[in-house]
Amino acid sequence: VSGAKNAALPILAAGLLATEGTSKFYNVPKLSDIKTISMLFESLGVKVDYKPEENTLEMDATKPLLTEASFEFVSKMRASVLGPMLAREGSAKVAMPGGCSIGSRPIDQHLKGFEALGATIIQDAGFVEARAEKELEGSTIFFDFPSVGGTQNVIMASCLAKGKTTIVNAAQEPEIEDMINFLIKMGAKISGKGTSILEIEGVEKLVGAEYTIMSDRVEAATYMIAAAATKGDVLIKGAPYKDNVALVSKMREMGVNIEIVDEDTMRVSNKLDMLKPVDVKTLPHPGFLTDMQSIMSVLTLLAKGTSTITETVFENRFMHVKELNKMGAIIATSGKEARIAGVRKLSGAEVNATDLRAGAALVLAGLVAEGTTTIGNIYHIDRGYNDFVGKMKSLGANIERIEEIMAYEMS
Ligand code: EPU
């Protein structure tokens, strides 16, 4: 399993806070999103040396940064750069962030946090600007919802603020802990890691550091579910149980064998012709991760009986359903709920990836379907899966990449 996209992006953004020294990151995945953020940083005046084949990235952000992040880069991915830019330079103008179209994805909680620290927010057509007339000052911020990006952005903004900031109802995802670990290595003072209340004591400066990005728990989940769906037996390295407890519990409920080999390795196998149906509800961590629900839905198609998936985090994350139904699935959605009949047999079809995780779900469906499945718009998959085709092939999958140019090389 490669390094985590959703940890790497905020950790690289945190690297913008270093006014002294360079940072070097290891286990950086080869993904188009990492290429995009590198190009964004270069456009701000940061020196970046991204070596995707070596999975390393070095950056030197010590020169003053430009304060405007262009639409060209920010629209292609979702990274929290407004907070660190504001903290560093006292003002920042950023195009509205992109990423997967899985709902309206407002950033009101991020902005509320910056305002509490003393910034003024100006929102205009497609842009948001944050300005601090004087030094940012620590404050107490309550999130209405534990937003992942909001928590990351406000932590970064408050690291260099004067005094103490308290974030109440903070998101607790492992990717946030990973970012906090890096910030602490840079000299930040943050307590409450892994809980819903975080305290950040502002410091004078942060210094570049070396850091190894955590493994991608969604990528691990994808191979775990692929193993179960194809009745395989796969040893997955870079898959810590502690980061995927909800998934392991739900897969075991269905009858899948999961052995926790060591703190970093799991072995997933399945011999059952008929898995048990299951009810899954997505929630903020430690609940079931929304990024895994489309992939999990493929496994529930192989169960005997009806499963339900309730999506509570994003309002529009069932776009894969129409595509799976083209392959013989019987999935009915109503509002936040999808009811999935265990059809136990799928047929190959021409389908389209509608977002990153939906794309992975279609690959898994294609692996279990009879006949050939052709998947379009695979640039979505390139945003988040390092060498998906190569790794699947090494497990015995019959899969070819038809579109030869990776989104990575195009960007
Ligand atoms: N929300 C608001 N206001 C805000 C912020 C969020 O209403 O100010 C809402 C969103 O609209 C959404 C919910 O809160 O309905 C969750 O959003 P959150 O901010 O927690 O998510 P995010 O930071 O936009 C990250 C990941 C997503 C992942 C979610 C949830 C990155 C780059 N993205 O998004 O990953 O699904 O957390 O865990 O870290 C993916 O990798 O495929 C992906 C979409």
Side-chain angles (χ1 to χ4, degrees):
V1 174
S2 300
K5 164 180 89 72
N6 289 350
L9 291 173
I11 288 172
L12 297 180
L16 292 178
L17 291 164
T19 43
E20 260 178 39
T22 56
S23 294
K24 182 161 184 183
F25 303 100
Y26 302 92
N27 204 28
V28 179
K30 180 181 174 179
L31 300 174
S32 59
D33 268 15
I34 304 293
K35 182 82 182 283
T36 307
I37 201 169
S38 302
M39 293 191 329
L40 165 66
F41 286 2
E42 280 169 350
S43 78
L44 299 175
V46 179
K47 251 205 240 157
V48 183
D49 185 11
Y50 175 31
K51 293 202 174 82
E53 302 310 328
E54 291 169 24
N55 301 116
T56 61
L57 188 148
E58 278 179 82
M59 64 188 271
D60 178 347
T62 49
K63 291 225 173 83
L65 305 177
L66 295 182
T67 54
E68 192 164 331
S70 100
F71 178 78
E72 184 193 349
F73 307 120
V74 185
S75 60
K76 284 193 194 150
M77 45 137 206
R78 203 165 183 86
S80 301
V81 289
L82 193 57
M85 286 168 70
L86 170 68
R88 262 292 296 266
E89 303 299 338
S91 81
K93 190 173 173 188
V94 172
M96 283 301 281
C100 290
S101 303
I102 47 184
S104 59
R105 308 188 79 174
I107 56 163
D108 55 300
Q109 301 300 306
H110 308 222
L111 302 183
K112 176 168 104 169
F114 300 147
E115 274 177 333
L117 297 173
T120 308
I121 306 295
I122 303 150
Q123 286 196 78
D124 213 340
F127 269 94
V128 52
E129 193 173 350
R131 267 196 223 145
E133 296 310 329
K134 50 186 178 62
E135 206 182 344
L136 293 176
E137 246 180 79
S139 177
T140 295
I141 293 141
F142 168 71
F143 280 134
D144 299 323
F145 177 89
S147 159
V148 172
T151 303
Q152 291 163 340
N153 234 335
V154 174
I155 293 173
M156 288 187 271
S158 57
C159 275
L160 296 174
K162 205 168 94 195
K164 189 170 88 176
T165 298
T166 306
I167 306 177
V168 180
N169 201 21
Q172 301 170 54
E173 270 64 10
E175 292 78 11
I176 295 179
E177 273 193 68
D178 212 33
M179 186 194 81
I180 292 176
N181 287 337
F182 172 59
L183 282 166
I184 291 173
K185 269 196 109 179
M186 294 175 83
K189 290 198 177 138
I190 305 173
S191 59
K193 193 178 68 174
T195 76
S196 62
I197 300 182
L198 297 172
E199 284 186 349
I200 302 116
E201 193 68 52
V203 293
E204 285 287 310
K205 63 167 189 210
L206 292 171
V207 180
E210 294 204 349
Y211 196 74
T212 302
I213 310 284
M214 68 181 277
S215 302
D216 194 315
R217 62 195 174 114
V218 192
E219 192 195 0
T222 307
Y223 294 111
M224 289 166 71
I225 294 172
T230 56
K231 290 204 261 170
D233 181 354
V234 179
L235 189 79
I236 305 167
K237 292 181 180 164
Y241 168 62
K242 69 172 176 41
D243 293 341
N244 264 332
V245 177
L247 176 74
V248 168
S249 305
K250 284 293 161 185
M251 288 179 73
R252 281 181 172 159
E253 248 180 67
M254 294 185 79
V256 177
N257 285 317
I258 303 180
E259 184 194 338
I260 315 299
V261 178
D262 60 37
E263 60 177 25
D264 198 42
T265 313
M266 285 197 241
R267 181 172 181 160
V268 179
S269 64
N270 174 35
K271 292 202 169 49
L272 297 177
D273 280 323
M274 281 186 278
L275 292 164
K276 291 191 206 99
V278 77
D279 295 322
V280 173
K281 187 183 201 175
T282 68
L283 284 169
H285 194 75
F288 191 94
L289 179 62
T290 166
D291 293 353
M292 296 174 186
Q293 62 93 343
S294 56
I295 307 161
M296 187 67 172
S297 69
V298 177
L299 197 59
T300 59
L301 282 168
L302 307 175
K304 185 178 185 229
T306 302
S307 300
T308 61
I309 293 189
T310 309
E311 171 59 60
T312 75
V313 178
F314 287 102
E315 70 232 20
N316 188 21
R317 217 171 190 182
F318 284 136
M319 286 180 300
H320 53 282
V321 164
K322 201 166 122 230
E323 303 303 301
L324 288 174
N325 284 351
K326 285 185 198 161
M327 300 177 71
I330 304 176
I331 308 178
T333 57
S334 166
K336 293 176 173 201
E337 194 178 280
R339 287 179 69 77
I340 305 166
V343 288
R344 303 208 297 285
K345 211 174 120 184
L346 294 173
S347 329
E350 280 201 22
V351 289
N352 273 313
T354 49
D355 65 66
L356 164 57
R357 309 301 171 190
L362 292 174
V363 171
L364 264 50
L367 291 179
V368 291
E370 277 176 18
T372 303
T373 298
T374 308
I375 303 167
N377 292 342
I378 56 169
Y379 64 90
H380 285 296
I381 300 177
D382 292 339
R383 285 191 43 229
Y385 286 88
N386 193 347
D387 191 19
F388 202 26
V389 169
K391 288 186 189 180
M392 280 294 182
K393 270 188 167 175
S394 76
L395 292 169
N398 188 354
I399 180 169
E400 292 298 335
R401 187 182 179 97
I402 303 170
E403 166 68 67
E404 292 212 335
I405 306 176
M406 285 186 67
Y408 169 78
E409 277 137 8
M410 288 191 286
S411 55

